[in-house]
PDB file of all heavy atoms in Angstrom:
ATOM      1  N   PHE A 216     -15.523  31.044  -4.295  1.00 83.00           N
ATOM      2  CA  PHE A 216     -16.494  30.167  -4.861  1.00 83.00           C
ATOM      3  C   PHE A 216     -17.608  30.899  -5.560  1.00 83.00           C
ATOM      4  O   PHE A 216     -17.920  30.658  -6.714  1.00 83.00           O
ATOM      5  CB  PHE A 216     -17.139  29.297  -3.813  1.00 83.00           C
ATOM      6  CG  PHE A 216     -18.147  28.317  -4.247  1.00 83.00           C
ATOM      7  CD1 PHE A 216     -17.781  27.211  -4.978  1.00 83.00           C
ATOM      8  CD2 PHE A 216     -19.437  28.624  -4.136  1.00 83.00           C
ATOM      9  CE1 PHE A 216     -18.756  26.328  -5.501  1.00 83.00           C
ATOM     10  CE2 PHE A 216     -20.561  27.803  -4.665  1.00 83.00           C
ATOM     11  CZ  PHE A 216     -20.155  26.601  -5.346  1.00 83.00           C
ATOM     12  N   ALA A 222     -22.775  31.139  -7.408  1.00 73.00           N
ATOM     13  CA  ALA A 222     -23.657  30.447  -6.505  1.00 73.00           C
ATOM     14  C   ALA A 222     -23.197  30.689  -5.109  1.00 73.00           C
ATOM     15  O   ALA A 222     -21.914  30.691  -4.968  1.00 73.00           O
ATOM     16  CB  ALA A 222     -23.718  28.925  -6.858  1.00 73.00           C
ATOM     17  N   PRO A 223     -24.043  30.795  -4.185  1.00 69.00           N
ATOM     18  CA  PRO A 223     -23.549  30.954  -2.731  1.00 69.00           C
ATOM     19  C   PRO A 223     -22.817  29.655  -2.238  1.00 69.00           C
ATOM     20  O   PRO A 223     -23.392  28.515  -2.397  1.00 69.00           O
ATOM     21  CB  PRO A 223     -24.786  31.212  -1.956  1.00 69.00           C
ATOM     22  CG  PRO A 223     -25.925  30.761  -2.804  1.00 69.00           C
ATOM     23  CD  PRO A 223     -25.482  30.679  -4.236  1.00 69.00           C
ATOM     24  N   ALA A 224     -21.712  29.803  -1.574  1.00 70.00           N
ATOM     25  CA  ALA A 224     -21.036  28.733  -0.938  1.00 70.00           C
ATOM     26  C   ALA A 224     -21.928  27.967   0.120  1.00 70.00           C
ATOM     27  O   ALA A 224     -21.604  26.864   0.386  1.00 70.00           O
ATOM     28  CB  ALA A 224     -19.703  29.124  -0.416  1.00 70.00           C
ATOM     29  N   SER A 225     -22.864  28.729   0.648  1.00 69.00           N
ATOM     30  CA  SER A 225     -23.792  28.182   1.625  1.00 69.00           C
ATOM     31  C   SER A 225     -24.462  26.837   1.076  1.00 69.00           C
ATOM     32  O   SER A 225     -24.874  26.039   1.852  1.00 69.00           O
ATOM     33  CB  SER A 225     -24.759  29.145   2.170  1.00 69.00           C
ATOM     34  OG  SER A 225     -25.600  29.527   1.199  1.00 69.00           O
ATOM     35  N   LYS A 226     -24.654  26.779  -0.245  1.00 69.00           N
ATOM     36  CA  LYS A 226     -25.328  25.594  -0.805  1.00 69.00           C
ATOM     37  C   LYS A 226     -24.526  24.316  -0.516  1.00 69.00           C
ATOM     38  O   LYS A 226     -25.036  23.306  -0.632  1.00 69.00           O
ATOM     39  CB  LYS A 226     -25.470  25.778  -2.284  1.00 69.00           C
ATOM     40  CG  LYS A 226     -26.565  26.763  -2.661  1.00 69.00           C
ATOM     41  CD  LYS A 226     -26.683  26.667  -4.194  1.00 69.00           C
ATOM     42  CE  LYS A 226     -28.055  27.082  -4.576  1.00 69.00           C
ATOM     43  NZ  LYS A 226     -28.251  26.957  -6.098  1.00 69.00           N
ATOM     44  N   LEU A 227     -23.235  24.530  -0.251  1.00 71.00           N
ATOM     45  CA  LEU A 227     -22.354  23.409  -0.096  1.00 71.00           C
ATOM     46  C   LEU A 227     -21.995  23.117   1.382  1.00 71.00           C
ATOM     47  O   LEU A 227     -21.178  22.212   1.674  1.00 71.00           O
ATOM     48  CB  LEU A 227     -21.070  23.639  -0.859  1.00 71.00           C
ATOM     49  CG  LEU A 227     -21.033  23.791  -2.367  1.00 71.00           C
ATOM     50  CD1 LEU A 227     -19.651  24.118  -2.819  1.00 71.00           C
ATOM     51  CD2 LEU A 227     -21.574  22.498  -2.981  1.00 71.00           C
ATOM     52  N   PHE A 228     -22.541  23.825   2.335  1.00 70.00           N
ATOM     53  CA  PHE A 228     -22.206  23.670   3.768  1.00 70.00           C
ATOM     54  C   PHE A 228     -22.367  22.196   4.128  1.00 70.00           C
ATOM     55  O   PHE A 228     -23.521  21.638   3.943  1.00 70.00           O
ATOM     56  CB  PHE A 228     -23.011  24.499   4.642  1.00 70.00           C
ATOM     57  CG  PHE A 228     -22.615  24.480   6.015  1.00 70.00           C
ATOM     58  CD1 PHE A 228     -21.399  25.000   6.490  1.00 70.00           C
ATOM     59  CD2 PHE A 228     -23.432  23.832   6.959  1.00 70.00           C
ATOM     60  CE1 PHE A 228     -21.007  24.876   7.777  1.00 70.00           C
ATOM     61  CE2 PHE A 228     -23.104  23.758   8.236  1.00 70.00           C
ATOM     62  CZ  PHE A 228     -21.926  24.226   8.670  1.00 70.00           C
ATOM     63  N   SER A 229     -21.415  21.620   4.707  1.00 69.00           N
ATOM     64  CA  SER A 229     -21.292  20.192   5.108  1.00 69.00           C
ATOM     65  C   SER A 229     -21.873  19.244   4.086  1.00 69.00           C
ATOM     66  O   SER A 229     -22.620  18.358   4.379  1.00 69.00           O
ATOM     67  CB  SER A 229     -22.096  20.126   6.439  1.00 69.00           C
ATOM     68  OG  SER A 229     -21.454  20.773   7.487  1.00 69.00           O
TER      69      SER A 229
END
Side-chain angles (χ1 to χ4, degrees):
F216 180 79
S225 60
K226 284 185 157 187
L227 298 175
F228 182 72
S229 290

